[in-house]
mmCIF file of all heavy atoms in Angstrom:
data_model
loop_
_atom_site.group_PDB
_atom_site.id
_atom_site.type_symbol
_atom_site.label_atom_id
_atom_site.label_comp_id
_atom_site.label_asym_id
_atom_site.label_seq_id
_atom_site.Cartn_x
_atom_site.Cartn_y
_atom_site.Cartn_z
ATOM 1 N N ASP U 466 36.857 -22.212 15.809
ATOM 2 C CA ASP U 466 38.106 -21.713 16.330
ATOM 3 C C ASP U 466 39.063 -21.464 15.159
ATOM 4 O O ASP U 466 39.593 -22.401 14.552
ATOM 5 C CB ASP U 466 38.682 -22.741 17.305
ATOM 6 C CG ASP U 466 40.024 -22.247 17.939
ATOM 7 O OD1 ASP U 466 40.327 -21.050 17.835
ATOM 8 O OD2 ASP U 466 40.698 -23.092 18.556
ATOM 9 N N ALA U 467 39.283 -20.157 14.837
ATOM 10 C CA ALA U 467 40.170 -19.769 13.768
ATOM 11 C C ALA U 467 39.774 -20.375 12.422
ATOM 12 O O ALA U 467 40.590 -20.519 11.517
ATOM 13 C CB ALA U 467 41.616 -20.108 14.061
ATOM 14 N N SER U 468 38.496 -20.680 12.293
ATOM 15 C CA SER U 468 38.018 -21.288 11.032
ATOM 16 C C SER U 468 36.571 -20.879 10.780
ATOM 17 O O SER U 468 35.818 -20.477 11.690
ATOM 18 C CB SER U 468 38.117 -22.818 11.107
ATOM 19 O OG SER U 468 37.289 -23.310 12.088
ATOM 20 N N VAL U 469 36.141 -21.093 9.519
ATOM 21 C CA VAL U 469 34.758 -20.887 9.127
ATOM 22 C C VAL U 469 34.401 -21.987 8.156
ATOM 23 O O VAL U 469 35.123 -22.234 7.192
ATOM 24 C CB VAL U 469 34.541 -19.516 8.517
ATOM 25 C CG1 VAL U 469 33.130 -19.409 7.846
ATOM 26 C CG2 VAL U 469 34.715 -18.383 9.516
ATOM 27 N N GLU U 470 33.246 -22.643 8.412
ATOM 28 C CA GLU U 470 32.728 -23.643 7.489
ATOM 29 C C GLU U 470 31.696 -22.990 6.619
ATOM 30 O O GLU U 470 30.741 -22.392 7.116
ATOM 31 C CB GLU U 470 32.157 -24.820 8.212
ATOM 32 C CG GLU U 470 31.669 -25.930 7.236
ATOM 33 C CD GLU U 470 31.154 -27.172 7.967
ATOM 34 O OE1 GLU U 470 31.256 -27.182 9.198
ATOM 35 O OE2 GLU U 470 30.705 -28.092 7.279
ATOM 36 N N LEU U 471 31.851 -23.103 5.309
ATOM 37 C CA LEU U 471 30.983 -22.469 4.324
ATOM 38 C C LEU U 471 30.194 -23.562 3.601
ATOM 39 O O LEU U 471 30.749 -24.639 3.294
ATOM 40 C CB LEU U 471 31.752 -21.635 3.305
ATOM 41 C CG LEU U 471 32.614 -20.532 3.839
ATOM 42 C CD1 LEU U 471 33.492 -19.937 2.706
ATOM 43 C CD2 LEU U 471 31.763 -19.447 4.458
ATOM 44 N N SER U 472 28.918 -23.295 3.325
ATOM 45 C CA SER U 472 28.111 -24.177 2.476
ATOM 46 C C SER U 472 27.227 -23.373 1.592
ATOM 47 O O SER U 472 26.886 -22.229 1.921
ATOM 48 C CB SER U 472 27.322 -25.174 3.359
ATOM 49 O OG SER U 472 26.462 -24.471 4.235
ATOM 50 N N TRP U 473 26.834 -23.913 0.451
ATOM 51 C CA TRP U 473 26.000 -23.206 -0.504
ATOM 52 C C TRP U 473 25.225 -24.205 -1.355
ATOM 53 O O TRP U 473 25.632 -25.373 -1.458
ATOM 54 C CB TRP U 473 26.857 -22.319 -1.360
ATOM 55 C CG TRP U 473 27.984 -23.067 -2.099
ATOM 56 C CD1 TRP U 473 27.912 -23.687 -3.263
ATOM 57 C CD2 TRP U 473 29.316 -23.281 -1.591
ATOM 58 N NE1 TRP U 473 29.123 -24.296 -3.598
ATOM 59 C CE2 TRP U 473 29.980 -24.079 -2.547
ATOM 60 C CE3 TRP U 473 30.007 -22.922 -0.410
ATOM 61 C CZ2 TRP U 473 31.330 -24.467 -2.382
ATOM 62 C CZ3 TRP U 473 31.302 -23.293 -0.238
ATOM 63 C CH2 TRP U 473 31.945 -24.101 -1.214
ATOM 64 N N PRO U 474 24.147 -23.819 -2.001
ATOM 65 C CA PRO U 474 23.443 -24.734 -2.915
ATOM 66 C C PRO U 474 24.138 -24.768 -4.263
ATOM 67 O O PRO U 474 24.951 -23.882 -4.564
ATOM 68 C CB PRO U 474 22.055 -24.126 -3.038
ATOM 69 C CG PRO U 474 22.297 -22.660 -2.809
ATOM 70 C CD PRO U 474 23.445 -22.570 -1.825
ATOM 71 N N GLY U 475 23.860 -25.788 -5.030
ATOM 72 C CA GLY U 475 24.440 -25.852 -6.376
ATOM 73 C C GLY U 475 23.981 -24.672 -7.207
ATOM 74 O O GLY U 475 22.806 -24.317 -7.202
ATOM 75 N N ALA U 476 24.902 -24.076 -7.971
ATOM 76 C CA ALA U 476 24.571 -22.925 -8.826
ATOM 77 C C ALA U 476 23.747 -23.391 -10.013
ATOM 78 O O ALA U 476 23.972 -24.496 -10.519
ATOM 79 C CB ALA U 476 25.821 -22.239 -9.281
ATOM 80 N N TYR U 477 22.845 -22.565 -10.440
ATOM 81 C CA TYR U 477 22.059 -22.850 -11.646
ATOM 82 C C TYR U 477 22.998 -22.792 -12.823
ATOM 83 O O TYR U 477 23.634 -21.802 -13.110
ATOM 84 C CB TYR U 477 20.939 -21.804 -11.750
ATOM 85 C CG TYR U 477 20.102 -21.938 -12.967
ATOM 86 C CD1 TYR U 477 19.017 -22.802 -13.006
ATOM 87 C CD2 TYR U 477 20.339 -21.194 -14.149
ATOM 88 C CE1 TYR U 477 18.180 -22.944 -14.089
ATOM 89 C CE2 TYR U 477 19.528 -21.308 -15.235
ATOM 90 C CZ TYR U 477 18.443 -22.175 -15.251
ATOM 91 O OH TYR U 477 17.648 -22.293 -16.333
ATOM 92 N N SER U 478 23.081 -23.928 -13.569
ATOM 93 C CA SER U 478 24.018 -23.989 -14.693
ATOM 94 C C SER U 478 23.552 -24.995 -15.725
ATOM 95 O O SER U 478 24.020 -26.081 -15.867
ATOM 96 C CB SER U 478 25.422 -24.363 -14.215
ATOM 97 O OG SER U 478 26.335 -24.375 -15.274
#
Side-chain angles (χ1 to χ4, degrees):
D466 183 12
S468 66
V469 170
E470 182 175 359
L471 302 171
S472 58
W473 56 88
Y477 178 84
S478 184

